Amino acid sequence: MSNLYGDYNQKIDYVFKVVLIGDSAVGKTQLLARFSRNQFNVDSKATIGVEFQTKTLIIDNKTVKAQIWDTAGQESGSMYDGSIWWGLGYRAVTSAYYRGAVGAMLVYDMTKRQSFDHMSRWLEELRGHADTNIVIMLIGNKCDLGTLRAVPTEDAQEFAQRENLFFMETSALESTNVETAFLTILTEIYRLISKKTLTANDEADPGGSSGLLKGTRIIVPNQDMNDKKGGCCG
Amino acid sequence: GIHPSIRGEVWEFLLGCYDPKSTFEERDEIRQRRRAQYAEWKEECRQLFPLVGSGRFITAPVITDDGRPIQDPLVLLENNPENGVIVPPQDIGAASINNNAPKVTDKKVIQWMLTLHQIGLDVIRTDRTLVFYENKENLSKLWDILAVYARRDIDVGYGQGMSDLCSPMIILLNDEADSFWCFERLMRRLRGNFRCTDNTVGVEAQLNNLALITQVIDPKLHQHIEHIGGGDYLFAFRMLMVQFRREFSFCDSLYLWEMMWALEYDPNLFWLYEESEETSPEEAKARLKSIRHYGKYERENMRNGAKNAEEPPLPISIFLVASVLKEKSATLLQQARGLDDVVKILNDTNGNLDAKKACMAALKLHKKYLKKVAEHESNFATSSVLLLHCMCLSIFILNPNPVQPNLSR
């Protein structure tokens, strides 16, 4: 159990399903490729349907398998009657996509204002379909393109604060903050879930989660904004 | 496979652009007519949105959901397609809603304009490793065709994956209009997959069929897939949507496509597409080709057609997926503990998939499936008939007749 990434026969303590959502071409697939395989594909293609990647890691001495779901970002389409719908590219996959997700990453491209403006719609769809306790993180990707920035950090921070989200700016290309972002969300999920278990078990070792809190405090840029977690993170 | 020099022309036949019995002159006349038609449609689109046909295209929205034009959309400039979209910095933030410009009120036009940037985003990511697309003209050809198609086929519009389907047509056929029509014919087969309603997308029906087939062919595997939460077979979504383009290399997928179309070939395709319902049954009957003109897969379906004529035959692509699943059955049963494992195991296959072998396996499975269904339906000795068919069809050859049209004058 001392290695960071588990092998095939390893006992898995937790499987966390995390979904990636956001407009087309904001870099969802690249973030996932960077996190799961430390790759960046210069010839990356549009995602069709649903793709997954997994990565097994150790959090607080527990083996956690992160199952990350990635999907097409096409925002709108048409229906038989010619009306316009909005949401996950292919509506049908929507419920399967969100089912059982304990974490979600809302990704926008910080060089494209509209992809940020759409975050509230993605959030709405997410909250409409996912579990109420889902941990959500807002990701401003492509921070390597600093000169083209169209979304000020403060705007995103304010939005995250208002909506009770974690927030981080990343670059899948330069590998900035990608691992940190995923670790943050996974650690938070773990913390919530183990807390639930703790409550269920009445008394248990609080040291585990306090160790985690340290991690949370370091890597979340604005942890105090989150009321839900305020008692632990503040 | 088909020799690359005539591939485009053969595809036009396989997809039903032309009647296999037509003469060169007849085809040329149709071709000219279709080119004019395409030019007309393209001009209509250009009037709605001037970038159509301009050699440029967009990757950022040009309209709001309620029809207000967005000023100065981020337009992909001519010079640097290979470096990705280089957006001039002065454009950033300039994209603002233009309140003075007239609002677009036609819902269908709004809907079309809302897809234009999505097409652009996908066009620049389609087959980008091919030298062919280093030429910016070819990128805009792809964008133009998809834009015109989206405008014509309003129920479908544009759906992600269509750029993957259209790209080979542009590479194989020089004329943009010819490429459009070839793509249009391909979409006749596949558009059902892309059609969305309130809560379903067309391909779901095919995924259900895949589930049914697997249930019949390999019940244990189906049970296992269901058990690990994959009962919707969403992991096969992409294979069906873009017809294995992502599972095979570019060249292999073209080979696979033409093999599937040859197996599914119906010599009446041209007439089926071309004609309105008014054609008298006598006329249609007069054109009926002998069964040997049909593709092998289609012949098998015809033999079984009497039984379930009310349902359209299943496309061979489903049996292709089913045969891949079947081949990996043991591994899937043993090692797949989650959907991610299923995808991983299937991806391992993908690199080593041989198009011809895959088609043969699909044919075999198709036959087996029909047999099992028949057995299920009646315990009669239909199997002897099927056995005969098996013997007749045991050699895998594409029927040469339909794919060797009269190319000379």
Side-chain angles (χ1 to χ4, degrees):
Chain A
M1 285 282 251
S2 57
N3 63 330
L4 185 59
Y5 307 115
D7 58 51
Y8 177 71
N9 288 314
Q10 195 168 12
K11 179 179 161 283
I12 308 266
D13 296 302
Y14 295 98
V15 178
F16 293 159
K17 173 175 170 180
V18 175
V19 295
L20 290 169
I21 45 176
D23 282 8
S24 196
V26 296
K28 298 182 291 295
T29 306
Q30 299 284 26
L31 283 167
L32 184 51
R34 177 61 77 195
F35 174 63
S36 61
R37 301 187 305 269
N38 199 19
Q39 283 175 357
F40 185 89
N41 305 318
V42 282
D43 63 337
S44 121
K45 298 169 172 153
T47 304
I48 310 288
V50 179
E51 292 170 18
F52 328 74
Q53 288 290 339
T54 55
K55 183 160 170 167
T56 307
L57 43 145
I58 308 293
I59 298 175
D60 189 33
N61 288 323
K62 293 282 193 293
T63 310
V64 172
K65 181 159 133 180
Q67 189 186 81
I68 324 274
W69 290 47
D70 178 24
T71 192
Q74 179 169 9
E75 306 113 57
S76 58
S78 57
M79 294 200 306
Y80 285 142
D81 61 359
S83 64
I84 299 157
W85 50 259
W86 196 91
L88 266 191
Y90 298 107
R91 271 249 148 141
V93 307
T94 311
S95 56
Y97 193 69
Y98 293 118
R99 196 184 306 132
V102 289
M105 286 183 146
L106 252 73
V107 189
Y108 67 91
D109 173 350
M110 51 173 261
T111 70
K112 289 204 178 124
R113 181 72 202 188
Q114 193 168 28
S115 70
F116 175 70
D117 293 338
H118 281 165
M119 285 291 101
S120 51
R121 299 210 274 196
W122 283 114
L123 193 59
E124 196 183 321
E125 183 180 88
L126 176 67
R127 293 211 162 120
H129 286 89
D131 189 273
T132 43
N133 292 319
I134 191 167
V135 180
I136 309 171
M137 182 176 229
L138 180 69
I139 299 276
N141 193 34
K142 307 195 186 178
C143 71
D144 51 284
L145 298 173
T147 53
L148 301 174
R149 179 191 282 274
V151 182
T153 310
E154 303 78 58
D155 289 15
Q157 235 154 11
E158 194 194 290
F159 176 76
Q161 204 145 1
R162 196 171 57 236
E163 296 289 348
N164 229 9
L165 319 172
F166 288 89
F167 167 61
M168 206 167 272
E169 287 184 345
T170 61
S171 162
L173 176 70
E174 291 180 349
S175 204
T176 314
N177 272 345
V178 178
E179 177 113 8
T180 315
F182 278 100
L183 281 178
T184 303
I185 195 166
L186 292 167
T187 308
E188 179 59 20
I189 294 165
Y190 173 78
R191 203 183 59 75
L192 283 177
I193 286 181
S194 57
K195 200 168 82 182
K196 232 184 252 170
T197 322
L198 288 185
T199 333
N201 293 346
D202 238 347
E203 284 292 324
D205 166 34
S209 43
S210 67
L212 276 162
L213 286 181
K214 243 180 260 163
T216 314
R217 195 173 291 136
I218 296 163
I219 50 192
V220 182
N222 39 6
Q223 68 271 56
D224 53 337
M225 71 195 174
N226 205 325
D227 291 336
K228 186 171 66 184
K229 301 149 195 135
C232 313
C233 305
Chain B
I2 299 163
H3 193 274
S5 61
I6 56 158
R7 194 172 230 165
E9 208 164 353
V10 176
W11 277 27
E12 290 182 316
F13 283 99
L14 285 175
L15 290 169
C17 293
Y18 302 110
D19 182 10
K21 290 274 187 288
S22 58
T23 65
F24 181 88
E25 283 73 26
E26 285 167 341
R27 291 197 294 276
D28 195 52
E29 195 216 304
I30 295 173
R31 192 182 295 277
Q32 296 313 326
R33 190 159 31 103
R34 287 196 184 137
R35 285 181 182 175
Q37 176 71 84
Y38 177 71
E40 193 186 303
W41 286 344
K42 195 172 165 183
E43 176 57 23
E44 278 171 31
C45 291
R46 197 190 64 78
Q47 301 217 336
L48 291 171
F49 189 68
L51 278 188
V52 175
S54 71
R56 303 202 298 167
F57 57 91
I58 48 147
T59 57
V62 289
I63 198 165
T64 62
D65 292 356
D66 56 353
R68 284 174 299 163
I70 297 172
Q71 214 163 24
D72 299 326
L74 311 179
V75 173
L76 179 79
L77 294 178
E78 260 132 283
N79 23 18
N80 37 29
E82 68 279 4
N83 299 335
V85 193
I86 307 291
V87 178
Q90 66 270 20
D91 277 7
I92 307 260
S96 60
I97 293 160
N98 186 351
N99 287 313
N100 300 323
K103 229 173 124 171
V104 179
T105 47
D106 185 337
K107 236 179 162 183
K108 289 181 174 159
V109 174
I110 299 175
Q111 173 199 309
W112 174 68
M113 290 181 78
L114 279 170
T115 62
L116 293 176
H117 74 285
Q118 181 68 60
I119 297 175
L121 284 171
D122 291 348
V123 159
I124 53 173
R125 293 185 286 176
T126 305
D127 296 323
R128 69 215 284 188
T129 53
L130 298 180
V131 182
F132 182 83
Y133 284 115
E134 282 173 19
N135 181 352
K136 168 77 175 59
E137 268 176 39
N138 294 326
L139 286 176
S140 27
K141 244 190 201 181
L142 183 54
W143 187 77
D144 284 343
I145 291 178
L146 289 165
V148 174
Y149 183 84
R151 177 78 187 116
R152 299 309 311 175
D153 188 354
I154 289 170
D155 288 343
V156 169
Y158 173 76
Q160 289 195 288
M162 280 163 61
S163 67
D164 286 59
L165 297 173
C166 186
S167 162
M169 310 303 177
I170 295 169
I171 297 173
L172 292 182
L173 295 155
N174 282 325
D175 186 87
E176 183 181 318
D178 295 350
S179 309
F180 170 86
W181 285 105
C182 218
F183 171 65
E184 191 267 349
R185 292 293 140 125
L186 176 59
M187 285 306 290
R188 296 242 188 170
R189 293 162 179 253
L190 301 174
R191 65 188 290 279
N193 287 348
F194 289 89
R195 276 181 85 156
C196 295
T197 60
D198 214 356
N199 42 32
T200 64
V201 54
V203 71
E204 266 184 297
Q206 305 293 13
L207 293 172
N208 287 338
N209 288 329
L210 175 63
L212 273 171
I213 292 166
T214 313
Q215 205 168 6
V216 170
I217 297 293
D218 195 342
K220 239 178 160 177
L221 178 64
H222 175 74
Q223 210 178 2
H224 182 67
I225 289 174
E226 230 170 21
H227 178 70
I228 58 176
D232 47 25
Y233 284 66
L234 270 184
F235 55 84
F237 188 102
R238 190 179 70 188
M239 295 190 215
L240 295 175
M241 278 310 240
V242 296
Q243 300 281 293
F244 312 94
R245 277 235 36 207
R246 302 288 180 86
E247 280 69 32
F248 288 85
S249 71
F250 182 77
C251 292
D252 283 355
S253 55
L254 302 198
Y255 179 48
L256 177 72
W257 281 11
E258 61 205 21
M259 206 140 44
M260 293 196 298
W261 301 335
L263 289 167
E264 289 181 328
Y265 189 73
D266 173 348
N268 299 308
L269 216 49
F270 169 78
W271 295 105
L272 289 173
Y273 290 154
E274 204 71 5
E275 277 166 354
S276 50
E277 289 84 36
E278 294 133 39
T279 322
S280 69
E282 291 79 45
E283 270 179 274
K285 217 175 196 173
R287 271 198 307 276
L288 264 186
K289 307 294 188 294
S290 115
I291 192 159
R292 69 189 180 89
H293 290 113
Y294 286 80
K296 195 166 166 181
Y297 177 84
E298 196 58 25
R299 271 181 273 160
E300 195 67 40
N301 275 327
M302 287 169 76
R303 288 193 185 92
N304 291 275
K307 233 168 267 150
N308 33 21
E310 68 277 2
E311 294 162 40
L314 299 169
I316 193 170
S317 49
I318 298 183
F319 287 94
L320 251 156
V321 185
S323 70
V324 172
L325 286 177
K326 177 100 181 95
E327 197 189 303
K328 284 279 152 185
S329 184
T331 319
L332 286 166
L333 283 169
Q334 241 170 42
Q335 294 177 13
R337 290 181 293 182
L339 289 180
D340 47 309
D341 297 327
V342 174
V343 171
K344 214 175 285 170
I345 291 163
L346 293 181
N347 282 342
D348 283 346
T349 335
N350 292 335
N352 321 316
L353 267 186
D354 176 288
K356 192 168 171 177
K357 268 191 203 150
C359 275
M360 284 170 78
L363 277 181
K364 223 170 116 185
L365 204 73
H366 177 229
K367 216 171 283 177
K368 192 174 163 189
Y369 172 74
L370 291 177
K371 194 176 153 190
K372 287 219 171 186
V373 170
E375 273 170 11
H376 186 77
E377 278 175 2
S378 71
N379 294 323
F380 272 38
T382 38
S383 51
S384 61
V385 182
L386 281 158
L387 189 70
L388 194 70
H389 292 163
C390 291
M391 285 159 64
C392 297
L393 302 169
S394 57
I395 304 158
F396 177 84
I397 329 163
L398 305 183
N399 186 346
N401 291 329
V403 295
Q404 277 182 356
N406 179 21
L407 297 181
S408 57
R409 274 168 183 274

